[in-house]
Amino acid sequence: MRLDLLVDLWGAYMLDVDAVRKDFPSLKEGRVYLDSAASSLTPDPVIRKMVDYYSDYRANVGRGIYGISRRATDEFEAAREKIAAFIGAGRDELILLRNSSEALNLIASGVQFRRGDSVVITIQEHHSNFVVWQRVKERLGIDLKIVKSDRQGIFNLSDFEDAIDGKTKLVSLAHISNVLGVKLPVKEVAKLAHDQGSLVAIDGAQSAPHTSVNVKDLGCDFFAFSGHKMCGPTGAGALFIRGDLQEHVEPLCVGGGTIEDVGIDYYRLRRGPYRYEAGTPAIAESIGLGAAVDYLRSIGMQNISEHEQALTRRMMERLPEVPGIILYGPPNASDRAGIFSFNIKGLNSHDVALALDSAAGIMVRSGHHCALPLMKDLLAAEGSVRASVYLYNTLSEVDLFADALTEIAKTMA
Amino acid sequence: MHSIVDAYSRFPKADCGYCGNPSCITALRRHCSGEMPLDQCIFFRTGALDPQSIRCPPATESSGVPGISYINPCPSDAHAVTVEVSLASGEHAKHGYYDMVTLDRILGGHVPSLKVSPSLGMARIELEGRSIMAFGEGRILIRRALDEEDALLQLSRAMRQLWAAVN
Ligand SMILES: Cc1ncc(COP(=O)(O)O)c(C=O)c1O
Ligand code: SF4
């Protein structure tokens, strides 16, 4: 038996994909969901946990003295604790927000930048980690440096060394590119940045759902991620801000819940995550995200990673067979996460996506994936088709996808 | 993917008319709609071909109410519009509104701007920068139209190109 087959079988034993699929009610017959990088599906336990809140203990958090309100608060705070532990953060370091975009905006508006400071990002950033810095540049006159990779998405550490200097206030980069699926050298960059006295922010939107993350091990000061990409509901995301940094980082919004004391002519912000959480939060959603963390942990992040690696190996075997395919990102399965961007010569990405949907019920993203600088500068493409896998995808779905693509390339291009 | 084309590939393709249908693809579609027993075809009746080998695909899902169901800015081009039109009502032809096998036979390879995929049950038309996809179940999607009026104009042009393939 071939070694890779054995490895696949081993992976299958560790993660029982048939059992996993039963947990996801929207995985209906005839639907092949290959768009988890945009948003993942939600398993039953998460849905039930949110319904429980609405049907059993619907009250505001942190406000009421009565029992139900205390229960809501306890559940909300328990969720915070789980989500924090999931990325190796302390509970006071975890701010519950709506999504990665809000988290990145919080960093951009909260850190005290001055004219002459520089911010270093990369060409692979999602608009949410790109435009925010262009705006800081426009408003405050900071210097924005953009580190480029080669066309396959691989970075040269010396380019970061060149870009990061004593004036660098912050380096903000994705952990995994949402277009190329490349894993960025975040740990090495964090070290370079800290050596120069710079802060480090990681956009973990594409990593937290798929790999075990430990913010202490990564050595970052900020880590942003979105719940809806990791089996949680939409509207719940989080930001890690290193504890001792918090008094230097301003909230994005202030108001109810964020203050320790207010008088006619003064206010004093609270300490800890509450400082950043103005107003009534997304209670059900945050509790749901806590349940998503429980769910992922019950499956095991290592098992999820291995399963996705098996799917990735199959993708990287099958996709190059498709006639006229231009596959972006690193050619080696081991260098990439389960994200596959490509074009088929002679076909627009949207037409490929429409054809996949109509012919085989396969759902993929098409277009620029909110990464126009990468598209224009690196890939010189108008857009691409992007398929992405998660714990509920199967090897036979990968095969169906490759077969459908081959047929599309043969008959439609 | 199990399509009508798989079943068609096992059909005689003689278009002899013995069964009373103008072509084998019409016969197959009527068979799959439960309107024609296979033994009306001379090839299956005499045992020259095996009736067991013909598996009908599931009936296409009608996209519901005929009409313009969706207009918005193009996903990648905020200045252009995308229009989706559903032509078939649920009752019209259980096995598709457009017959891409016939379309391919009549126009396949003759019209440079038109690509037909009988196996996928769809066709693609490029018209001066606009992209039009037509699907067997009677759905037409026009991307990159200049505006709503232009989209409807392109729609009527596309429908004219496709008319011979209406079931
Ligand atoms: C790398 C990356 N960063 C940020 C985001 C933005 O996430 P959200 O839409 O949840 O704010 C995404 C989502 O596509 C992403 O892939
Ligand atoms: S009798 Fe058979 S071969 Fe002749 S047209 Fe009908 S289906 Fe085709």
Side-chain angles (χ1 to χ4, degrees):
Chain A
M1 186 180 276
R2 278 169 37 206
L3 184 64
D4 57 351
L5 270 177
L6 260 176
V7 172
D8 286 0
L9 277 177
W10 177 242
Y13 279 120
M14 301 303 284
L15 184 146
D16 182 352
V17 70
D18 292 331
V20 165
R21 289 175 70 84
K22 292 202 179 81
D23 293 332
F24 289 82
S26 58
L27 282 175
K28 297 199 185 359
E29 180 71 27
R31 287 188 194 171
V32 177
Y33 191 71
L34 293 179
D35 195 20
S36 297
S39 204
S40 70
L41 304 176
T42 311
D44 254 333
V46 173
I47 300 169
R48 270 189 277 119
K49 188 81 185 172
M50 288 190 291
V51 171
D52 282 352
Y53 165 72
Y54 280 111
S55 50
D56 282 358
Y57 55 97
R58 176 74 178 84
N60 211 331
V61 293
R63 310 273 202 287
I65 194 83
Y66 50 93
I68 294 281
S69 168
R70 286 208 312 276
R71 165 137 187 244
T73 306
D74 288 349
E75 291 279 1
F76 184 75
E77 289 305 326
R80 184 197 305 282
E81 197 144 345
K82 285 180 215 168
I83 300 161
F86 185 68
I87 57 159
R91 63 169 301 287
D92 287 339
E93 297 175 311
L94 196 104
I95 295 120
L96 291 168
L97 300 168
R98 280 188 305 142
N99 50 40
S100 305
S101 304
E102 190 181 14
L104 291 159
N105 272 278
L106 191 158
I107 305 169
S109 82
V111 173
Q112 314 289 306
F113 293 102
R114 293 213 177 77
R115 182 175 294 277
D117 286 343
S118 82
V119 168
V120 175
I121 60 173
T122 85
I123 190 69
Q124 294 187 17
E125 300 312 314
H126 185 279
H127 292 166
S128 293
N129 196 27
F130 207 105
V131 182
V132 287
W133 305 113
Q134 288 175 316
R135 188 161 78 156
V136 176
K137 175 181 170 165
E138 213 172 88
R139 286 184 169 174
L140 303 175
I142 60 148
D143 194 12
L144 182 59
K145 296 186 184 173
I146 297 158
V147 177
K148 294 190 180 180
S149 63
D150 68 13
R151 256 182 75 95
Q152 293 188 341
I154 309 295
F155 286 94
N156 207 330
L157 266 189
S158 67
D159 291 334
F160 284 101
E161 269 166 13
D162 292 345
I164 302 168
D165 57 27
K167 290 188 171 164
T168 308
K169 179 99 179 179
L170 179 91
V171 180
S172 186
L173 76 170
H175 199 172
I176 290 175
S177 153
N178 70 315
V179 178
L180 300 175
V182 182
K183 301 167 192 167
L184 279 75
V186 286
K187 214 167 152 172
E188 293 80 355
V189 172
K191 180 153 189 339
L192 284 176
H194 283 152
D195 287 348
Q196 294 287 347
S198 163
L199 296 168
V200 177
I202 295 178
D203 170 0
Q206 296 295 347
S207 64
H210 304 280
T211 56
S212 351
V213 167
N214 186 308
V215 288
K216 301 288 150 75
D217 182 49
L218 290 172
C220 57
D221 304 294
F222 303 93
F223 187 93
F225 58 112
S226 298
H228 68 92
K229 294 185 201 279
M230 47 186 278
C231 298
T234 58
L239 173 66
F240 156 77
I241 305 182
R242 212 184 67 218
D244 58 322
L245 205 62
Q246 291 183 4
E247 59 181 305
H248 308 291
V249 180
E250 283 279 310
L252 190 57
C253 299
V254 290
T258 66
I259 44 89
E260 196 173 270
D261 189 23
V262 197
I264 281 180
D265 51 4
Y266 73 95
Y267 68 90
R268 209 166 43 243
L269 289 171
R270 285 170 80 174
R271 290 170 171 275
Y274 311 106
R275 170 187 178 86
Y276 300 100
E277 296 171 358
T280 299
I283 303 170
E285 289 78 2
S286 301
I287 292 172
L289 179 52
V293 163
D294 283 342
Y295 182 78
L296 291 174
R297 287 203 138 165
S298 74
I299 310 275
M301 292 311 288
Q302 184 61 27
N303 293 333
I304 292 173
S305 285
E306 278 171 20
H307 178 70
E308 290 177 6
Q309 265 301 306
L311 296 169
T312 301
R313 281 195 299 278
R314 179 67 66 94
M315 278 280 193
M316 296 307 284
E317 264 168 42
R318 297 289 322 268
L319 289 182
E321 296 168 1
V322 176
I325 195 167
I326 308 162
L327 189 54
Y328 305 111
N332 259 336
S334 56
D335 291 337
R336 57 195 300 157
I339 294 176
F340 311 89
S341 278
F342 61 89
N343 271 307
I344 290 178
K345 277 195 199 104
L347 280 175
N348 179 284
S349 63
H350 296 304
D351 290 343
V352 176
L354 283 168
L356 283 167
D357 183 26
S358 162
I362 297 173
M363 295 169 253
V364 296
R365 260 295 281 271
S366 49
H368 55 58
H369 319 300
C370 294
L372 275 172
L374 170 68
M375 281 292 156
K376 291 180 184 165
D377 194 274
L378 208 61
L379 307 184
E382 220 177 277
S384 73
V385 187
R386 181 187 71 186
S388 49
V389 295
Y390 206 7
L391 70 164
Y392 35 67
N393 292 115
T394 64
L395 290 171
S396 53
E397 286 181 325
V398 173
D399 286 335
L400 180 75
F401 172 60
D403 292 343
L405 266 184
T406 302
E407 194 61 26
I408 290 167
K410 279 187 183 156
T411 60
M412 302 290 290
Chain B
M1 279 174 301
H2 176 58
S3 71
I4 193 119
V5 176
D6 297 321
Y8 183 64
S9 70
R10 295 182 170 80
F11 242 56
K13 300 193 220 44
D15 295 338
C16 70
Y18 176 87
C19 60
N21 292 295
S23 66
C24 289
I25 186 76
T26 314
L28 171 60
R29 204 168 37 248
R30 289 196 58 225
H31 165 65
C32 288
S33 316
E35 294 161 18
M36 185 194 101
L38 267 187
D39 66 4
Q40 278 188 21
C41 166
I42 187 79
F43 287 80
F44 291 106
R45 171 176 295 179
T46 57
L49 287 171
D50 177 14
Q52 299 298 323
S53 71
I54 303 301
R55 274 206 305 142
C56 288
T60 47
E61 249 176 73
S62 155
S63 25
V65 200
I68 298 179
S69 51
Y70 167 67
I71 299 177
N72 74 353
C74 276
S76 294
D77 186 350
H79 302 294
V81 294
T82 293
V83 175
E84 189 180 78
V85 185
S86 220
L87 298 167
S89 62
E91 272 313 291
H92 188 126
K94 282 195 211 91
H95 285 272
Y97 181 87
Y98 286 125
D99 171 5
M100 296 301 177
V101 174
T102 302
L103 184 69
D104 189 41
R105 204 178 296 158
I106 301 173
L107 295 180
H110 299 299
V111 182
S113 58
L114 174 75
K115 283 272 179 190
V116 188
S117 173
S119 57
L120 298 170
M122 57 184 84
R124 186 168 70 90
I125 308 171
E126 287 287 337
L127 280 178
E128 293 140 24
R130 298 117 176 146
S131 170
I132 300 170
M133 294 275 275
F135 300 95
E137 77 269 21
R139 205 158 44 94
I140 297 184
L141 210 132
I142 297 136
R143 286 195 307 104
R144 291 230 157 134
L146 304 178
D147 51 29
E148 220 170 297
E149 196 183 335
D150 179 52
L152 297 179
L153 181 70
Q154 302 312 325
L155 172 69
S156 67
R157 287 172 75 181
M159 283 172 68
R160 252 175 284 149
Q161 281 203 5
L162 300 170
W163 75 267
V166 176
N167 282 328

